[in-house]
Amino acid sequence: MLQILLQRAFILLCFFQLVTHVAFGQTTDTTYQNRIKEYTTDKRFFAESVGAIYHHPTIPSPLDHFGTIIGAPGVMHRTSEIYGYYKKLADTSPNLMIEETGKSEEGRSFYLITIASEATLSNLGKYKEILSKLADPRTIDKATADQLSREGKPVYYLNGGLHSPEMGSPEMLMELAYRLITDPSKEIKNILENSIVLINPVSEPDGRDKQVDWYYRYSKARTEFDDGFRRSPPYWGKYVVHDNNRDGLQISQALTKNIFNTFYDWHPTIMLDLHESVPLLYISTGTGPYNENVDPITIGEWQSISNHEMTQLAAQGMPGVFNWAFYDGWWPGYGIWVANNHNSIGRFYETFGNAGANTYLRDISTSKIAGDLITSREWYRPYPPSGKVYWSARNNINYMQAGVLASLTYAADNGVTLLKNFYQKGVNNINTAEKGKVKMFAIPAEQRDPVMAAYLVNQLQGHGIEVHKVKEGKYKDEYAVLLNQPYSKLAKDLLTVQNYPKEAKFPPYDDIAWTLGYLYGVDVETVDSMKYETSQLELLDKRVVYTGVIKDNGSDYLIPYKAQSNVLPAIFDLKKHVKKLKAYVLDSATVVSSDTVVAGSVILKGLSNDDAKTLTNNYGLNLIAGSYELKKTHEITLPKIAVYHSWTNTQDEGWVRFTLEQKGIPYTSIDKDDLKAGNLRSKFDVILIPRLRGDAASFINGVDDSFGPMAYTKTEQYPSHGYPDATTDMTGGPGYEGVGNLSNFVKEGGVLVPMDGSSAIISDLGIGKKVSSFNPSGLFHPGSVVTAKARSKTSPILYGFPETFHVFKGNGELLSTELYDRKLMVLQYGTTPLDDEKEYTGEIMGMENMEKKKETKEKKETKTPPYVLSGMVRNEKQIIGNGAIFNVPHGKGRVVFFTFNPLHRYLNHHDSALLWNVLINWNQL
């Protein structure tokens, strides 16, 4: 009887809700709902929370607007269509706002969507102010913070479309926005009333349009997912591809700046980045080791929120959701880590995407993560998927949106707690100095490269870290970073060394070291007590610029060389604007005004006093005026530079292009067709080959030509293609003919500079025959800062560097030479030699008085510096003594092999000066 009464009550409730919805002009959109079910391939992939969509009389659904529902087979939308839909929603709904927040490198707009109740939207300034106050606990006490936490609302930021082939999130977010502003259910009303939702609909608009064009041009016709055909265009943004989510330390790309600016404007409580890779839905928590500078509260929040989401999807019968075994939680340079680094919560999803809107049979039966099969039942995956899934774009939309709705509900239900935690994490940061040994960091005024010291200060400010300048006293002009501020832990993270545990059970997800002082070549002091009086300090409120000084008098000018980052750009600029300029490099040390000037220093002749002042102002270079003889010098002839890119991968080539453009160093981009055309030496002096993945065969053959021809050209139908480079057929490679032409380029006097993995490829191709590639047994060398030692101390490649210094090195093949060719090794890893170079101390038969010589031999004991300065290397003995840079003759020219990447993600500016030395002295190597 009770059951019958309950059933009747439920029917009446449903009837009442239906009548209420109809009364307000809203009814269930059965057409939309039926198509969701139709395009969902298995009822277990259907989410009740996203199954029902309501028809609104004045606000168009995606079906009304586009003629298809979100997730329809074969349909993907470009940025103009996506933005157009949001503008329509803003025009027709009082619950949604849209604003332009910037432009991409190619001129496409970034937009931010704000969704909340009408009352909240009309008072956004109030809620921003509350979050701003909570972000800096120095301005309020705990009682006020508690009150503000009750008055405020959590802000939930959703980031879509960062990785362009992961195409689902820009689609899903449109349907989510429509749902949030039209769904009359109490669950959605709760989200609107008790939170603020921000949506970055397409965080990489350049890549989105290229990807959609690629889908319609090539991918839509594919019937199998794993057929070897590439799923994305060769370029996403103008410069970077997948690394657009590795720019959180540099803040160099437009999309990163846009995300950071939004964070500083809003201080979102939670930021969720929507990605696609592993089946079926991974909710980030990370396996560890966790970054020790992330507040334990945040780590607890990762777990709490992910468990809530996983539970909610399990309650809807959805398999394949898990929240461990993928990613670690160590590296702070992802875009959404702006939240974790600033006392908020940064998270991400990985759903199962098909790089488009096709439905494919996907085999996941052998896929493993953290040693476990994807199909295994684990504590972190209570309901695993089957070994094969027939997977559609709509399935992906269902999973992503169901997870987001569960997460938004969590935020709306726990807003007070989340805001209190946000405040408390700021308090914990402010107490860093009081509770820890380190009280502050000092950046001395005297630096090898004062421009890079200023750059470091500006980067810290870009991360929201307060920096003071010492305005008087003994330490005048030093910079101080005090650890009694809201982002003290981030300052520690960026300025101290990283100690990644060698015993970590799973390999790291990315680089494991990022100590900015090392990467920038700037001395930073860790101080355990306050060095200054408060009255000596002035808080910086703008970017700093180092201006060089001119010492002494004379018509010539000398740049004392310490491998400063701006010397090469300055010379390029001067050569362009000063017709009479002559520039020379000192090839040995000399005495100037009683000071010894090192080899590599630059003498400038034909420069006016005004030109010299412009040089000091624009490039921060210190000059010594005088009249200089040109003894033991060579004239600088600036090279014509080419940067090679393959069509298989443009990632690192993009970083190289970006770096050269930032430095004002001119170059020409070339590809396989240029190598095949030959005649390279008549066009270029130096060819740079950025890091390439693959081997010699992949270099020769390029993209599988069985798929060709594949044009990457701008057309009326595909207007985003053909930039930043174009080809009528990207398949195939330079072939043996192109490799031969590249070899001839060097033989005819050119300089070839392969970097990192490209060095192994070039050596395997036989260009530079005296070196060969190898993989040291057991060596594990994730991105770390390590010690290096000069082998060829007088090489121009090492001008400005001491005998022992550091470089940033990641995993990758090494190069070796025979003992009799070790003179080709310019720089080695570590400071001790290889075993075959160590002095023999045993008996030598046939030599008289050997024992006497051994006894009288002078012994020198020196302390060996550690190899790893920041990060971790396993089995480091396998790399110490091996070559970091080789200078190998090939005909009339040279191959300069870098077995590390001197232009890694616009981060290791200290190392890049080694490459600038090659370019300055290219014809004197």
Side-chain angles (χ1 to χ4, degrees), residues 435-594:
K435 295 183 177 180
K437 293 181 181 179
V438 179
K439 306 302 179 187
M440 60 167 291
F441 297 99
I443 303 173
E446 292 294 325
Q447 294 283 345
R448 175 187 68 86
D449 188 351
V451 170
M452 288 312 302
Y455 179 78
L456 173 58
V457 169
N458 293 332
Q459 286 296 98
L460 294 174
Q461 291 187 93
H463 284 281
I465 296 167
E466 294 176 354
V467 182
H468 290 79
K469 186 173 184 179
V470 183
K471 58 185 180 180
E472 57 188 25
K474 178 181 178 181
Y475 302 105
K476 188 176 186 296
D477 293 335
E478 281 194 2
Y479 296 103
V481 180
L482 309 182
L483 297 186
N484 59 352
Q485 55 174 298
Y487 308 135
S488 291
K489 292 183 179 181
L490 176 58
K492 286 184 63 179
D493 208 22
L494 298 179
L495 297 176
T496 58
V497 300
Q498 284 69 55
N499 296 297
Y500 191 89
K502 282 191 175 183
E503 66 278 5
K505 295 179 181 179
F506 306 105
Y509 197 68
D510 209 272
D511 293 338
I512 59 173
W514 52 85
T515 311
L516 294 189
Y518 282 138
L519 295 180
Y520 297 171
V522 176
D523 293 329
V524 178
E525 296 177 2
T526 302
V527 186
D528 59 7
S529 61
M530 187 65 177
K531 284 180 68 173
Y532 324 104
E533 297 294 332
T534 304
S535 61
Q536 295 178 290
L537 299 178
E538 178 183 14
L539 180 64
L540 297 175
D541 59 359
K542 58 183 178 181
R543 294 176 62 83
V544 300
V545 176
Y546 178 79
T547 301
V549 296
I550 301 175
K551 179 183 175 182
D552 298 340
N553 297 299
S555 58
D556 301 334
Y557 296 91
L558 183 141
I559 305 173
Y561 193 61
K562 298 179 182 179
Q564 300 97 315
S565 59
N566 272 353
V567 171
L568 179 60
I571 296 172
F572 265 108
D573 190 28
L574 288 173
K575 287 274 189 178
K576 191 190 318 180
H577 296 104
V578 182
K579 294 181 179 179
K580 296 181 180 179
L581 177 75
K582 294 283 186 179
Y584 303 87
V585 173
L586 287 171
D587 289 317
S588 62
T590 188
V591 176
V592 176
S593 300
S594 73

Side-chain angles (χ1 to χ4, degrees), residues 278-279 281-283 310 320-324 326 369 374 380-381:
V278 295
L281 168 59
Y282 168 69
I283 303 169
M310 187 167 66
V321 181
F322 67 109
N323 68 346
W324 189 80
F326 184 78
I369 300 181
I374 284 287
Y380 57 87
R381 185 171 42 242

